[in-house]
Amino acid sequence: MIAAGIVQFSLVLAVALAGYMTAQWLLDTAPKAERKSRERVARLVDVTAVTTETQGPIIEAWGEVQPARILVVRPEITGTVTWVHPDVVMGGRLNEGEVVARFDNRDLSLAVSRAEAEIAGIEARILIEKGQGAVGRRELSRLSRNLTDEQKDLVLRKPQMAQLEAELASARSNLEQARIALSKTEVRVPFDGVIISESVAPGAVISQGSEAATFVASDVFEVLLAVPVAALEWIDPNSGQFLTIYQENVRQSNSERMGQLVRLSSELSDTGRMVELVAEVPDPLGMSYVNAGKPPLLLGSFVKVAIEGRKIDGAVSLDRALLRDNDTVWVMGADDTLEVRPVDVAWRGADTVLIESGLESGDRVITTPLSTVAPGMALRTRADEVSG
């Protein structure tokens, strides 16, 4: 029994050994795959070549269009309105010197006539006194030379003439006063403008000092701007610097208007740490040939304004999205590898930044977003593929 078990075990062992040796031979004699080295593939990117130039930051702001001058038309007399200019309506335009309204002037016209008649009567009496004075001079030569100076003046009618001259001066003053009162029956505008409210009509009795209409100058409007305090480093509010005004809600292609900075508000705005600047826009309604065809600026509307700040040499204007973490820019170097270039940012705008140093003309800034960034990474562009 033991001998039979040994023989059986020996057979199993022999079979296993033979199988192992066969498998080892197959492995040793099987063809081996040759490992090939993988080529390094350059990353495809888009680039934009930058240019350095003398330029300043474009400071953008929003502002509200406001009137530069407002006139509340108030009559200086109390009376009945007899006529109103047909353009005295909301949005109506009047030119300098035009009459807004006329009042009943009959009583004041009579006052002028009475004053003129009074002057004519006094002037006639003066002529009579001059004649009597001439007679007195002839009589004085025949009278005794013992008369006093006062008596001589009486003979020459000097006191009477002085009284008439005083009465004439007073009458002329009364006439001037009557004419001034008569002129107040016509209410005129002192400058070109637009009616923004009115409360006068023919037949109405208007009291002195009551509001008849509100009038704004049309030769110039103002735009009240809010800009960051830091912007004052780049612009001078009192310099008359030009700026461009865009009407965002107007699709017309030539809607841009030019304006000028004129002054700085004395306090910060209520909406944050912003300063308020005032810009003037000439001919806001497009009345002159220069702005003919352009849409008018509307009072109360909000407009976008672009101001070019103080210029610096060798600056690069760059899309803000291309400024990477820690004020760096991805640049495709001369050897077509990626450079993470630190830059000095002079101005940060809403859409663009102004780079003062760190970039040179001709540098190829990478515009493609990259998930993995490694300095020295090989790059290629579509132009490289076409030329290749």
Side-chain angles (χ1 to χ4, degrees):
M1 293 293 292
I2 295 175
I6 293 174
V7 171
Q8 190 176 11
F9 175 76
S10 298
L11 289 174
V12 172
L13 182 62
V15 172
L17 181 61
Y20 170 78
M21 293 179 64
T22 301
Q24 187 64 41
W25 177 81
L26 291 173
L27 290 174
D28 293 340
T29 60
K32 295 182 179 180
E34 184 178 352
R35 178 177 295 179
K36 296 182 179 180
S37 59
R38 298 179 60 185
E39 293 185 2
R40 186 181 180 188
V41 179
R43 180 69 181 271
L44 179 64
V45 295
D46 293 322
V47 298
T48 180
V50 298
T51 303
T52 60
E53 56 182 312
T54 301
Q55 59 183 316
I58 302 301
I59 301 169
E60 296 182 343
W62 285 87
E64 182 180 2
V65 180
Q66 299 181 345
R69 288 172 292 167
I70 301 178
L71 172 67
V72 179
V73 179
R74 301 178 187 275
E76 298 182 70
I77 62 172
T78 297
T80 303
V81 178
T82 58
W83 180 85
V84 176
H85 195 291
D87 289 334
V88 178
V89 292
M90 287 285 291
R93 299 178 184 178
L94 296 179
N95 297 322
E96 178 182 352
E98 283 195 278
V99 177
V100 176
R102 291 192 179 98
F103 290 80
D104 185 356
N105 63 0
R106 290 173 295 179
D107 290 343
L108 295 175
S109 295
L110 290 174
V112 170
S113 298
R114 284 194 296 268
E116 291 174 341
E118 183 181 3
I119 290 174
I122 295 173
E123 288 175 342
R125 290 164 58 193
I126 288 176
L127 289 176
I128 295 173
E129 285 295 335
K130 286 181 178 179
Q132 292 179 347
V135 173
R137 279 191 295 273
R138 290 195 298 270
E139 292 180 352
L140 186 61
S141 62
R142 297 193 299 269
L143 295 175
S144 171
R145 297 182 179 275
N146 295 327
L147 294 176
T148 64
D149 291 340
E150 290 81 1
Q151 292 172 334
K152 292 178 180 179
D153 290 342
L154 289 172
V155 172
L156 296 175
R157 310 291 293 180
K158 288 184 177 181
Q160 294 86 342
M161 182 63 70
Q163 181 180 359
L164 289 174
E165 288 177 348
E167 292 179 4
L168 179 62
S170 176
R172 285 174 175 170
S173 296
N174 292 337
L175 175 60
E176 182 64 22
Q177 187 175 9
R179 286 174 174 171
I180 291 174
L182 180 62
S183 69
K184 293 178 181 179
T185 61
E186 289 187 342
V187 181
R188 300 177 181 269
V189 292
F191 46 75
D192 295 350
V194 180
I195 300 291
I196 61 173
S197 69
E198 54 83 20
S199 56
V200 61
V205 177
I206 303 297
S207 300
Q208 178 181 355
S210 61
E211 181 176 337
T214 303
F215 189 72
V216 298
S218 60
D219 58 337
V220 61
F221 283 171
E222 291 183 345
V223 179
L224 187 62
L225 306 170
V227 300
V229 176
L232 295 182
E233 178 186 351
W234 298 93
I235 56 179
D236 182 0
N238 304 308
S239 64
Q241 181 178 352
F242 288 99
L243 48 84
T244 306
I245 299 171
Y246 303 91
Q247 300 187 67
E248 292 290 298
N249 57 341
V250 177
R251 296 184 179 181
Q252 194 169 329
S253 59
N254 64 338
S255 62
E256 294 85 0
R257 304 296 293 271
M258 297 301 297
Q260 281 184 290
L261 289 175
V262 292
R263 62 183 181 275
L264 170 69
S265 177
S266 60
E267 58 185 17
L268 296 178
S269 67
D270 297 333
T271 57
R273 307 300 291 179
M274 308 282 280
V275 292
E276 291 185 341
L277 306 179
V278 179
E280 286 187 348
V281 186
D283 188 30
L285 302 179
M287 303 293 290
S288 69
Y289 73 93
V290 176
N291 297 311
K294 292 186 176 182
L297 286 178
L298 301 179
L299 291 172
S301 63
F302 286 89
V303 294
K304 185 178 181 180
V305 175
I307 312 168
E308 184 177 4
R310 173 178 52 84
K311 296 183 178 182
I312 56 179
D313 296 329
V316 173
S317 180
L318 198 65
D319 191 320
R320 183 160 186 165
L322 301 181
L323 184 66
R324 312 298 177 176
D325 294 339
N326 301 319
D327 288 350
T328 59
V329 175
W330 298 341
V331 178
M332 186 174 181
D335 58 353
D336 292 345
T337 60
L338 186 144
E339 298 178 18
V340 179
R341 187 86 59 84
V343 295
D344 182 12
V345 182
W347 171 260
R348 303 172 194 270
D351 301 315
T352 60
V353 293
L354 193 65
I355 307 298
E356 187 171 11
S357 63
L359 292 176
E360 302 293 338
S361 288
D363 279 343
R364 296 177 294 175
V365 174
I366 300 169
T367 60
T368 303
L370 301 174
S371 57
T372 302
V373 177
M377 184 171 64
L379 303 172
R380 75 184 195 279
T381 64
R382 301 184 193 279
D384 296 333
E385 292 185 338
V386 172
S387 61

